[in-house]
């Protein structure tokens, strides 16, 4: 199969780093090429302030299922606690509702039920405990058959028992109806359906199978690196990959995957260098890769009419003070709910958006002593909607500053800051200006998501959030492991 040489991994995001670790740990020669000067891909970092004294994570702020990360490190004999100590957040989230009430999402069924009881009463607390068990059942039904499974193989598509079990758990209902069938307080319903935005869909369009996202973070817990922020995750992965024997080359861009009669033969770089290759794992933005990087015949019918997730406006602020009572994650719900999703679907900004505020106060490397950082995310339409962002961006930024002032964060207009809007995401290499890739509608889920391997080009594999299992830190890591497993099995 293919030419002689290493496996070339394109893109040092979480999926590419995971693939590199699993391949190198099994003795394969691996060359990982990354266009940027640091690892991370979507899990990036940026500095602000006169001397760059404030550091912000520009990618995911929610880290769930650390066992997946531990397994990735463990493939190379590394221990998670040694290479990347994590702390479990408490609370995982603080949910602030428009009526002034709030709910802390905390660990432990009884402890969480006590908070629900105080907010909603004993009957709803009892319903919550039953619902929590139902979430656990659905997670168990999905994990081995859909999330942690290779969807590129026929045997991965023929699991009637798993389908029946998932259907019995309610997985093919709509998410909002599934949750509302168990919980009656609208605030609790929102608390367990807002996660649909992680998969790019409103709750009334997302399948109930994505309730597992709520299980991952409201039951399994949310974690954060002890030092270095979320960008410490890809940095640690890169270090482990290199220790396992992978060669990582930063600041070089893969321009073309070359093929011959037997499949992948080489990867050509923008430096003019040609790396002979026995295989390739493309772990970058797939629509852009198909536009030039990949050879003729490598196209995937699933990308002919891609449906992208909404994007976001993110504003990062450097604060000259600490916020002693601020939770790491606070979700401020707007008054509106259904109409805000309709606006996004129509390519318009939400009239009354919910905001995710991240305050990594425990990370003393993010700001000078006595200072701190604050990041605020507002869902926004992607560039496919045709909005005039030259006009829209200043309006949304001003509106967001006003909303933050109303919420008690003070006047942040003069604070050092960095802003990312859909045009900025596009400049960073994200198709349609969204860092969330394709949405997870039924036709872009599991077997219907872009394949993890090329059907026509032997030795060409894919990893990252465009492939199954999808968007998020654990899915990206899993996609890299699955790509590596296919290559290793093919070498037998």
């Amino acid at each position: 199969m293919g030419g002689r040489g290493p496996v070339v991994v394109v893109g040092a995001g979480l999926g590419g780093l995971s693939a590199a670790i699993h391949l190198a740990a099994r003795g394969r020669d691996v060359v990982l090429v990354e266009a940027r000067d640091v690892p991370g891909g979507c899990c990036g970092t940026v500095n602000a302030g006169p001397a760059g004294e404030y550091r912000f994570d520009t990618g995911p702020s929610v880290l769930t299922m650390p066992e997946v990360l531990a397994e990735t490190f463990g493939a190379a004999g590394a221990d998670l606690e040694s290479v990347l100590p994590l702390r479990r957040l408490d609370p995982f989230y603080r949910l602030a509702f428009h009526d002034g009430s709030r709910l802390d999402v905390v660990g432990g069924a009884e402890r969480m039920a006590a908070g629900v009881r105080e907010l909603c009463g004993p009957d709803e607390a009892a319903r919550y405990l039953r619902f929590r068990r139902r979430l656990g059942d659905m997670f168990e039904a999905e994990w081995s058959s859909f999330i942690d499974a290779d969807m590129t193989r026929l045997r991965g598509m023929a699991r009637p028992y798993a389908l029946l079990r998932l259907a019995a758990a309610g997985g093919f209902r709509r998410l909002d109806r599934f949750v509302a069938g168990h919980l009656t307080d609208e605030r609790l319903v929102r608390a367990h359906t807002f996660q649909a935005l992680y998969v790019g869909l409103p709750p009334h369009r997302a399948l109930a199978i994505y309730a597992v996202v709520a299980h991952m973070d409201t039951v399994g817990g949310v974690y954060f690196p002890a030092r270095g922020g979320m960008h410490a995750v890809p940095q640690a992965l890169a270090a482990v990959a290199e220790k396992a024997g992978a060669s990582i080359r930063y600041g070089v861009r893969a321009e073309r995957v070359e093929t011959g009669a037997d499949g992948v033969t080489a990867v050509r770089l923008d430096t003019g260098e040609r790396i002979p290759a026995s295989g390739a794992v493309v772990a970058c933005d797939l629509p852009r890769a198909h536009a030039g990087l990949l050879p003729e015949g490598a196209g995937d019918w699933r990308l002919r009419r891609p449906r992208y997730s909404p994007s976001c406006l993110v504003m990062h602020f450097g604060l000259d003070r600490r916020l002693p009572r601020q939770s790491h994650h606070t979700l401020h719900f707007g008054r509106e709910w259904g109409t805000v999703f309709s606006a996004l679907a129509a390519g318009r900004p939400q009239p009354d958006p919910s905001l995710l505020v991240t305050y990594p106060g425990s990370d003393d490397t993010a700001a000078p002593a006595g200072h701190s950082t604050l990041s605020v995310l507002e869902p926004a339409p992607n560039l496919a909607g045709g909005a005039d962002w030259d006009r829209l961006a200043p309006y949304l930024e001003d509106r967001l500053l006003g909303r933050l002032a109303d919420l008690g964060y003070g006047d942040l207009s003069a604070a050092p800051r960095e802003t990312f809007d859909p045009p900025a995401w596009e400049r960073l290499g994200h198709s349609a200006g969204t860092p969330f890739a394709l949405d997870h509608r039924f036709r872009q889920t599991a077997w219907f998501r872009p394949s993890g391997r090329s059907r026509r080009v032997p030795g060409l594999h894919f990893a990252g959030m465009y492939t199954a299992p999808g968007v998020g830190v654990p899915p990206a890591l899993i996609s890299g492991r699955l790509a590596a497993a296919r290559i290793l099995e093919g070498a037998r």
Side-chain angles (χ1 to χ4, degrees):
M1 176 180 68
R4 297 179 179 178
V7 176
V8 178
V9 179
V10 179
L14 301 182
L17 289 166
S18 174
I21 288 174
H22 285 281
L23 288 166
R26 292 286 297 276
R28 294 300 300 266
D29 290 334
V30 178
V31 176
L32 194 160
V33 295
E34 168 56 47
R36 300 179 190 176
D37 295 329
V38 294
C42 290
C43 198
T45 185
V46 68
N47 290 77
E53 63 270 32
Y54 297 103
R55 179 185 50 75
F56 310 103
D57 291 318
T58 59
S61 64
V62 177
L63 176 59
T64 61
M65 301 197 68
E67 57 269 28
V68 176
L69 195 53
E71 185 275 337
T72 306
F73 288 126
D79 176 66
L80 173 62
E81 184 59 32
S82 299
V83 297
L84 186 68
L86 302 177
R87 58 181 290 267
R88 196 184 199 205
L89 300 181
D90 186 18
F92 308 150
Y93 291 96
R94 176 162 293 154
L95 307 179
F97 301 100
H98 65 86
D99 61 0
S101 62
R102 76 180 195 185
L103 175 67
D104 282 356
V105 180
V106 296
E110 292 303 325
R111 186 176 171 218
M112 184 65 195
V116 174
R117 187 177 300 111
E118 182 178 350
L119 178 70
C120 310
D123 291 342
E124 191 73 347
R127 283 188 285 268
Y128 166 76
L129 288 173
R130 291 193 293 271
F131 176 67
R132 184 184 176 103
R133 290 191 290 271
R134 191 69 175 269
L135 285 181
D137 292 341
M138 187 173 293
F139 178 81
E140 292 297 325
E142 282 188 57
W143 179 255
S144 61
S145 298
F146 294 91
I147 301 173
D148 197 35
D150 190 345
M151 294 296 170
T152 68
R153 289 144 181 210
L154 186 60
R155 66 175 181 266
M157 299 173 63
R159 298 169 185 252
Y161 173 74
L163 289 170
L164 289 173
R165 185 181 176 195
L166 192 55
F172 297 112
R173 298 177 63 189
R174 293 300 173 184
L175 178 61
D176 59 342
R177 294 180 183 177
F178 171 77
V179 176
H182 294 83
L183 303 172
T184 61
D185 190 292
E186 177 63 24
R187 293 167 297 183
L188 274 194
V189 173
R190 291 190 184 191
H192 291 88
T193 56
F194 79 85
Q195 296 88 352
L197 280 178
Y198 295 166
V199 299
L201 294 170
H204 68 273
R205 293 189 59 196
L207 292 175
I209 57 174
Y210 290 111
V212 298
V213 182
H215 179 275
M216 289 177 185
D217 57 15
T218 67
V219 177
V222 179
Y223 295 76
F224 193 69
R227 289 180 62 83
M230 286 293 291
H231 188 61
V233 175
Q235 288 178 322
L237 289 167
V240 168
E242 289 183 304
K243 189 173 181 180
S247 172
I248 304 181
R249 300 182 57 180
Y250 297 108
V252 293
R253 184 180 298 276
E255 285 198 333
R256 190 72 175 173
V257 175
E258 297 183 354
T259 61
D262 295 327
V264 172
T265 59
V267 175
R268 189 173 296 278
L269 308 181
D270 61 355
T271 61
E273 181 181 358
R274 181 178 179 274
I275 304 176
S278 58
V281 178
V282 175
C284 55
D285 186 276
L286 278 193
R288 292 197 174 201
H290 280 285
L293 173 66
L294 300 180
E296 295 292 331
D300 191 323
W301 61 268
R302 301 167 186 85
L303 281 171
R304 290 175 186 167
R305 296 184 63 190
R307 297 293 188 268
Y308 293 98
S309 291
S311 185
C312 58
L313 171 70
V314 182
M315 297 182 73
H316 302 282
F317 301 94
L319 307 182
D320 59 2
R321 64 192 187 280
R322 305 282 295 177
L323 304 178
R325 292 178 294 277
Q326 182 73 23
S327 174
H328 188 109
H329 289 120
T330 302
L331 187 64
H332 293 279
F333 286 99
R335 182 175 300 275
E336 300 294 329
W337 192 239
T339 57
V340 297
F341 297 113
S342 300
L344 277 185
R348 303 189 305 272
Q350 295 182 314
D352 183 25
S354 298
L355 306 179
L356 176 62
V357 176
T358 301
Y359 175 74
S362 64
D363 183 9
D364 59 11
T365 69
H371 295 227
S372 59
T373 65
L374 194 74
S375 299
V376 187
L377 182 151
E378 172 185 326
N382 61 44
L383 295 182
D388 180 1
W389 279 94
D390 288 337
R391 178 192 61 80
L392 189 57
Y395 163 74
L396 291 182
E397 290 179 33
D398 287 344
R399 187 181 74 170
L400 185 52
L401 287 168
R403 176 84 180 279
L404 291 171
D406 291 342
L407 290 170
Y409 291 97
D411 181 2
L412 300 179
S413 59
R417 72 181 191 238
E418 288 287 333
T419 301
F420 293 85
D421 58 13
W425 296 123
E426 184 182 48
R427 290 191 294 272
L428 287 173
H430 299 292
S431 291
T434 174
F436 304 118
L438 304 177
D439 68 33
H440 285 68
R441 66 187 64 202
F442 179 75
R443 296 191 302 276
Q444 294 184 156
T445 293
W447 313 288
F448 302 115
R449 206 158 179 85
S451 179
R453 68 179 176 93
S454 173
R455 299 286 182 182
R456 298 182 179 180
V457 182
L460 178 58
H461 299 262
F462 306 98
M465 58 188 176
Y466 275 89
T467 66
V471 175
V473 174
L477 294 170
I478 290 169
S479 74
R481 174 174 57 77
L482 295 175
R486 290 191 295 272
I487 292 172
L488 291 167
E489 290 175 10
R492 294 174 183 173

